[in-house]
Amino acid sequence: MSVATAPSIVIKVPVHAGKPRAAPPVAARLQARSFPARHGASPEAVVRKELIVAARKARVSANAAAHNARVSDVHDVTALVESQVKQYRRSSIDRRLESASALRARHLLERAAKASASSARAAAAESRVHARRASVAAKQERKLESASEARRRRLDAVAFRAADAAARAAVDEVDARATSVRIPATRTVSGGISISSAELSSSSSSS
């Protein structure tokens, strides 16, 4: 089949009444083969297109710069907030540590004062106990001395009474002997003792 006798290609495109429709893509490509090549764009159109592209790039870069600025601001604010939080935490920790150390020192002082007061009370109680022991020992010694003195006095009284009883017994015996002998001449001396004249003369001659 030669080119001259080749059949023509006919594409039927449905056309709506009153509204033109575009040809399908395949039909458009097949139709473009029969049309001459398109002419290049004009310099004004190229410049306008370049200006549009440059404006779009400038707008995109401006948006990116603004976004970067916002992000950097957010990062800066976040870093500032974190630094302030750390500083506040550090200051609060230092403040709590200082207050805790001051409270501990005050408690230690109070305990030392209580311990010193307790030791003073213990020393005072010990001194009172020693004084009480000394006074009790002195009283006991005095009581022992007085008891020994009373015992000595009682013993002396008993000895005196025994001696007196012995003397009275001797006198009674002498009286009994005198009455049994019946000597008429008797003389009463001090103490109620009756002695005869013969005994007086014998005692005076012996002396």
Side-chain angles (χ1 to χ4, degrees):
M1 183 182 297
S2 63
V3 178
T5 58
S8 62
I9 298 172
V10 178
I11 298 175
K12 295 182 179 180
V13 179
V15 179
H16 190 271
K19 186 176 181 181
R21 288 182 175 272
V26 177
R29 287 199 302 272
L30 292 175
Q31 286 181 359
R33 292 178 183 176
S34 59
F35 292 104
R38 296 180 179 178
H39 298 287
S42 62
E44 292 81 2
V46 172
V47 171
R48 186 169 56 253
K49 187 175 181 180
E50 289 178 354
L51 289 176
I52 291 171
V53 171
R56 184 180 297 172
K57 289 182 179 180
R59 187 170 61 253
V60 170
S61 62
N63 292 333
H67 176 72
N68 294 332
R70 288 193 300 272
V71 171
S72 63
D73 292 340
V74 169
H75 286 301
D76 294 339
V77 170
T78 304
L80 179 62
V81 169
E82 289 180 356
S83 64
Q84 289 178 354
V85 168
K86 289 181 180 179
Q87 185 178 1
Y88 173 74
R89 288 179 178 175
R90 185 71 261 175
S91 62
S92 61
I93 291 171
D94 294 338
R95 186 173 62 254
R96 287 195 295 270
L97 288 175
E98 291 177 358
S99 62
S101 62
L103 184 62
R104 182 172 179 272
R106 187 175 63 191
H107 287 172
L108 289 176
L109 290 175
E110 290 178 356
R111 289 184 180 178
K114 289 181 180 179
S116 62
S118 299
S119 61
R121 287 194 299 270
E126 188 175 0
S127 64
R128 288 195 300 271
V129 167
H130 286 306
R132 180 65 177 171
R133 287 178 180 176
S135 64
V136 168
K139 287 181 180 180
Q140 189 174 3
E141 186 177 359
R142 287 195 300 271
K143 287 180 180 180
L144 289 174
E145 290 179 357
S146 62
S148 62
E149 183 67 22
R151 184 172 178 274
R152 186 182 61 80
R153 289 179 182 178
R154 286 194 300 271
L155 290 175
D156 292 342
V158 170
F160 177 76
R161 286 194 298 271
D164 187 48
R168 287 180 182 276
V171 170
D172 292 338
E173 185 179 357
V174 169
D175 290 340
R177 287 178 182 178
T179 53
S180 63
V181 175
R182 294 182 180 181
I183 299 174
T186 57
R187 185 179 294 177
T188 303
V189 296
S190 63
I193 302 173
S194 299
I195 303 174
S196 62
S197 58
E199 290 176 353
L200 286 173
S201 60
S202 63
S203 63
S204 60
S205 62
S206 65
S207 61

